[in-house]
Short mmCIF file of all heavy atoms in Angstrom, two decimals:
data_model
loop_
_atom_site.label_atom_id
_atom_site.label_comp_id
_atom_site.label_asym_id
_atom_site.label_seq_id
_atom_site.Cartn_x
_atom_site.Cartn_y
_atom_site.Cartn_z
N PRO C 317 78.29 14.41 47.41
CA PRO C 317 78.24 15.88 47.34
C PRO C 317 76.84 16.44 47.12
O PRO C 317 76.73 17.63 47.11
CB PRO C 317 79.15 16.16 46.10
CG PRO C 317 78.82 14.98 45.23
CD PRO C 317 78.66 13.82 46.15
N LEU C 374 61.68 4.09 60.39
CA LEU C 374 63.07 3.94 60.73
C LEU C 374 63.16 3.15 62.07
O LEU C 374 62.63 3.67 63.08
CB LEU C 374 63.81 5.25 60.86
CG LEU C 374 65.36 5.15 61.09
CD1 LEU C 374 66.00 4.32 59.95
CD2 LEU C 374 65.97 6.51 61.22
N THR C 490 83.15 16.14 67.56
CA THR C 490 84.28 16.67 68.27
C THR C 490 85.48 15.86 67.96
O THR C 490 85.40 14.70 67.47
CB THR C 490 84.06 16.52 69.83
OG1 THR C 490 83.78 15.15 70.18
CG2 THR C 490 82.95 17.43 70.30
#
Side-chain angles (χ1 to χ4, degrees):
L374 186 60
T490 58

